[in-house]
Amino acid sequence: MAMSQSSAQVPVTVLTGYLGAGKTTLLNRILSEQHGKKYAVIVNEFGELGVDNDLVVNADEEVFEMNNGCICCTVRGDLIRIIEGLMKRKDKFDGILVETTGLADPGPVAQTFFTDEDVKAKTRLDAIVTVVDAKHFLSQLEQGDEAEEQVAFADVVLLNKTDLVSADELKKVEDKIRAINPYARIHKTEKSKVELEAILDKGAFDLKRILEFEPDFLEHGHDHDHEEDVKSLSFTADRPIDPDKFQKWMGALLQIKGPDIFRSKGILAIDGAPRRYVFQGVHMMMDADWGQPWKAGETRASKLVFIGRNLDGENLKRSFQDCLK
Amino acid sequence: MKLDLANPAWHTALPPSRTIATDAPVSACAFSRDGGVAAFAQGDGRIRLLPADVGAAEAPASEPVHRGAVLAMVADPAGDGFVSGGDDGRLLRLDVDGAVTELANQKGKWIDRIATHRASGALAAAAGKMALVFKDGELREFGPHQSTVADLDFSKDGSRIACAHYGGVTVWSIGNVTLPPRRFAWAGSHVALKWSTDGKFIATGTQENDIHVWRMAQATDMRMQGYPAKVRSLSWSADARWLYTSSQPVFTAWPFAGKGPEGKPPLQFGEEGASLLTVVAAHPAAEFVAGGYGSGELQLGDIKTRRSVVLKMADGSAITCLAWSPDGFCLAAGNDNGDLLLIDLRR
């Protein structure tokens, strides 16, 4: 049931990136290249795209707070409406791309796919793709939180305009991206030229594919101990996790730090459970399910990752350790 | 002639009906003002017109009138044709002979909600953050609202329109005298709106699966909770005693006679469907209500006797729209698969 449902859901790719990073160029490529697929594109500025296409939809980014007492639970109201409308069309499409404005927080877009039942029934969030301007990224980091947050949210980073920087400069930018988000896949591009397979249908939010998307997810040594404002923290454990303690800890953590936690993922060895427990989330929203069974004799190791702002690593580590048996 | 669900015929066979299969989802259906034609708006940009007679021959082919999907369609309040809105940003008037007149063209916006006022022939459409109102041959725009207008409706006397949006409802006076709009605030996003048939209440369905109702006279409001899904379909009974709502497995009606629904449970009746109701439509004159389910089932309920009968079995394709003929003896329905349905309720 769940399987057949997921295959009928249209994958949605969220395309973020600072002003001028190359999102429009990328969208024009996707719309004009001959790849035999049809994508609906939801853009924030009509007419910016050179392509006149029925499947280009204009959206005013309307970020709505849910009236449910949860302050960081915001959704994109326009997206809910547009997806409902797109599903009424006779001609179906292979995917939907949602472009966010250069200064937008990708959180509300992602949360829409966790929160709205109608959207969830018809579509699935596939991945967040962030286009980074190699030449201007470092200076954009100085100008505000947006450039940094967009990278923090990313499953895939298109490190664009590599032809405009030296090898040294490129290395610096790449290191910086890695420091913020070591889990995103980076593709270096010129003029946003990239194979569509690199950015579409990645299944980054599919709990069944967490391992597939990040083969080294369970390996150690990802963390970078820089003084980053936004960074990733990972915690591992070889002892089983007490489910009650963990649930309580996680619930409290998301309640308090939810607005600062952009992405979270985990594969957990729950005490007494024959299967892996996998979860992933955006801010306070979370999806969780039982994953692959543990094999006989396999080391039952847990790992969880947070990418966020102002996270206290020592404190989190201690409190996570308290959840172990 | 009258509808009577006690007639044993309802339980031995489905009523006479006509189904035309097409390949585009149906977004709206309506009967013309004179009841002679049923129209079905679809995801291929077409509006298919059928004689409102279940025994009629095949419908003629139609050309797309909108680029993309037709998102909204209603009977023309000022003629015997229809008015439609699409994701091409156009608002069109269609005559039954197929002639098309463009009323508005708002490129880049979607026209996905249209409301009408029969007595005055007025028409209102949501276009982005604005509401477009056509009255006495004149177009006036109201807004901008705080967000895209999600739904809109006329007051009983046609002197005002109510627009649902993020943060509540705005009521505009559309007469010749310009009055400041009245705001009815309630946090969150409001996705559906219906003004009661007696003009005393405005009901909305919210993003949080609630219903919100404002009492116009005192500007007091109430909130009905407990729905498992967004209530996208609201319908007031002709006598304004009941507000029917979708998103329950049985007919659900809130009592508005007397002191109103405060502190009372809704009246629930009928055969429980295999899924939730997606569309409800109150009978234009009597105590009946038609309901379409996510499963494709169609039921007809009688709130007086609290009975219901099945009009169409479930087939897995969600009912997306329902419309009563003006005389209340015929029902039109459409679904996600593109089936156009006409059901004759005279038996």
Side-chain angles (χ1 to χ4, degrees):
Chain A
M1 181 70 187
M3 288 295 282
S4 66
Q5 205 177 30
S6 78
S7 65
Q9 290 164 311
V10 179
V12 180
T13 305
V14 177
L15 187 61
T16 78
Y18 213 73
L19 306 165
K23 285 174 297 183
T24 305
T25 312
L26 179 63
L27 286 175
N28 268 328
R29 268 186 202 289
I30 293 170
L31 286 172
S32 56
E33 274 174 16
Q34 299 299 317
H35 39 62
K37 301 228 171 173
K38 268 175 82 173
Y39 296 99
V41 177
I42 301 170
V43 297
N44 54 71
E45 260 162 274
F46 209 61
E48 227 184 55
L49 285 178
V51 186
D52 187 24
N53 189 312
D54 271 1
L55 288 172
V56 179
V57 183
N58 188 36
D60 284 329
E61 292 189 338
E62 296 186 334
V63 177
F64 293 168
E65 270 172 40
M66 293 284 287
N67 183 19
N68 59 5
C70 162
I71 50 146
C72 64
C73 184
T74 48
V75 295
R76 282 272 303 272
D78 58 310
L79 209 55
I80 296 172
R81 198 173 54 87
I82 287 169
I83 284 175
E84 187 196 342
L86 281 175
M87 292 304 156
K88 289 178 181 165
R89 293 196 185 197
K90 179 194 168 193
D91 298 322
K92 299 302 177 205
F93 27 83
D94 299 287
I96 299 173
L97 284 109
V98 183
E99 180 202 24
T100 67
T101 59
L103 296 176
D105 165 11
V109 187
Q111 291 185 149
T112 304
F113 294 88
F114 283 79
T115 316
D116 191 275
E117 294 299 328
D118 300 326
V119 168
K120 271 159 78 172
K122 307 246 166 160
T123 60
R124 61 174 176 84
L125 181 56
D126 184 66
I128 297 175
V129 176
T130 301
V131 187
V132 169
D133 178 341
K135 187 156 177 68
H136 296 109
F137 181 63
L138 296 177
S139 65
Q140 286 160 358
L141 290 178
E142 311 293 319
Q143 289 162 24
D145 296 338
E146 293 86 3
E148 195 172 29
E149 289 183 6
Q150 288 164 355
V151 167
F153 267 104
D155 298 294
V156 177
V157 169
L158 229 61
L159 179 47
N160 195 31
K161 305 194 178 181
T162 53
D163 50 329
L164 302 183
V165 293
S166 69
D168 269 4
E169 287 172 303
L170 187 62
K171 171 95 178 39
K172 268 189 204 148
V173 173
E174 199 177 350
D175 287 348
K176 190 71 191 177
I177 293 169
R178 283 265 160 261
I180 298 167
N181 182 347
Y183 301 97
R185 287 205 182 161
I186 300 180
H187 297 279
K188 291 176 197 157
T189 56
E190 293 173 18
K191 301 191 174 64
S192 304
K193 198 166 169 55
V194 68
E195 294 298 319
L196 290 192
E197 298 85 77
I199 56 170
L200 299 177
D201 207 17
K202 304 316 292 177
F205 285 84
D206 185 345
L207 291 171
K208 293 185 196 72
R209 287 171 66 179
I210 281 185
L211 281 173
E212 182 189 325
F213 190 64
E214 287 148 14
D216 54 356
F217 182 70
L218 284 176
E219 281 167 26
H220 293 252
H222 249 338
D223 288 351
H224 293 240
D225 208 8
H226 306 288
E227 292 85 62
E228 307 298 339
D229 203 15
V230 174
K231 62 186 167 190
S232 82
L233 294 171
S234 69
F235 306 100
T236 56
D238 295 330
R239 272 156 50 216
I241 287 169
D242 180 317
D244 295 335
K245 284 183 185 166
F246 179 77
Q247 202 160 15
K248 229 170 154 180
W249 172 69
M250 198 68 178
L253 177 65
L254 293 180
Q255 196 71 44
I256 298 160
K257 293 294 285 180
D260 282 339
I261 297 174
F262 303 133
R263 297 287 298 264
S264 56
K265 290 183 193 207
I267 295 174
L268 306 177
I270 301 288
D271 189 42
R275 289 164 168 269
R276 291 164 169 82
Y277 187 71
V278 289
F279 75 87
Q280 52 93 9
V282 171
H283 289 311
M284 286 174 83
M285 308 283 148
M286 190 152 286
D287 260 353
D289 202 357
W290 294 103
Q292 289 293 312
W294 298 104
K295 293 193 191 88
E298 192 174 11
T299 313
R300 298 192 175 193
S302 300
K303 174 160 179 173
L304 69 164
V305 170
F306 298 108
I307 302 176
R309 180 185 296 287
N310 304 324
L311 300 179
D312 179 348
E314 278 309 308
N315 189 7
L316 284 173
K317 188 176 176 180
R318 236 184 354 261
S319 49
F320 173 58
Q321 295 288 339
D322 288 342
C323 300
L324 306 181
K325 271 281 175 181
Chain B
M1 201 176 339
K2 63 180 195 123
L3 281 178
D4 179 8
L5 302 198
N7 184 338
W10 289 109
H11 303 281
T12 51
L14 295 173
S17 69
R18 178 175 175 213
T19 305
I20 292 172
T22 71
D23 56 2
V26 187
S27 53
C29 57
F31 284 89
S32 58
R33 200 177 56 167
D34 65 2
V37 177
F40 297 84
Q42 300 190 255
D44 55 0
R46 288 180 163 87
I47 291 173
R48 290 182 169 84
L49 303 178
L50 310 184
D53 172 1
V54 296
E58 201 64 16
S62 68
E63 287 304 306
V65 289
H66 288 275
R67 241 180 113 184
V70 192
L71 297 174
M73 185 199 58
V74 295
D76 187 343
D80 288 327
F82 300 90
V83 176
S84 66
D87 55 18
D88 56 359
R90 299 202 302 156
L91 182 71
L92 303 176
R93 171 166 270 147
L94 267 101
D95 293 339
V96 281
D97 61 9
V100 176
T101 320
E102 188 177 275
L103 297 177
N105 189 341
Q106 306 247 329
K107 194 169 165 54
K109 288 180 185 159
W110 286 13
I111 297 187
D112 54 1
R113 290 289 192 283
I114 305 172
T116 58
H117 187 253
R118 254 326 138 81
S120 64
L123 180 77
K129 293 189 167 89
M130 305 299 289
L132 315 178
V133 176
F134 296 82
K135 198 180 176 189
D136 306 325
E138 234 186 295
L139 164 64
R140 289 176 67 195
E141 295 195 34
F142 295 88
H145 298 82
Q146 192 176 348
S147 73
T148 297
V149 175
D151 202 358
L152 74 185
D153 201 7
F154 281 93
S155 61
K156 186 191 181 196
D157 65 0
S159 68
R160 287 163 292 163
I161 53 161
C163 298
H165 48 77
Y166 180 58
V169 170
T170 301
V171 172
W172 300 88
S173 170
I174 58 170
N176 294 327
V177 187
T178 307
L179 296 171
R182 244 177 112 191
R183 279 291 312 275
F184 296 88
W186 183 256
S189 174
H190 299 258
V191 297
L193 181 150
K194 281 284 182 301
W195 207 317
S196 68
T197 35
D198 62 0
K200 291 180 181 163
F201 299 92
I202 290 175
T204 65
T206 74
Q207 175 68 30
E208 292 78 21
N209 304 350
D210 298 337
I211 291 171
H212 212 81
V213 180
W214 286 270
R215 198 187 297 269
M216 294 292 95
Q218 292 95 354
T220 55
D221 58 330
M222 55 200 108
R223 179 186 186 191
M224 287 83 152
Q225 293 172 278
Y227 288 86
K230 269 179 275 186
V231 182
R232 291 177 172 284
S233 182
L234 301 162
S235 186
W236 291 89
S237 64
D239 59 9
R241 290 166 56 89
W242 301 100
L243 171 65
Y244 297 105
T245 63
S246 66
S247 309
Q248 286 283 334
V250 291
F251 287 115
T252 301
W254 293 92
F256 278 82
K259 292 202 170 103
E262 283 105 329
K264 295 178 201 159
L267 183 61
Q268 294 199 290
F269 64 99
E271 289 288 315
E272 189 165 324
S275 65
L276 301 179
L277 283 160
T278 47
V279 199
V280 287
H283 189 275
E287 65 276 16
F288 301 101
V289 58
Y293 284 85
S295 63
E297 186 179 339
L298 269 176
Q299 284 192 25
L300 176 63
D302 176 345
I303 197 160
K304 264 195 193 151
T305 60
R306 297 178 198 179
R307 282 168 186 270
S308 77
V309 295
V310 173
L311 301 178
K312 175 187 166 288
M313 306 296 255
D315 58 6
S317 176
I319 301 293
T320 51
C321 54
L322 280 174
W324 285 95
S325 61
D327 67 4
F329 285 111
C330 193
L331 200 60
N335 67 14
D336 258 343
N337 268 1
D339 295 329
L340 319 181
L341 257 97
L342 280 173
I343 302 171
D344 190 341
L345 303 172
R346 282 169 292 208
R347 30 195 350 179

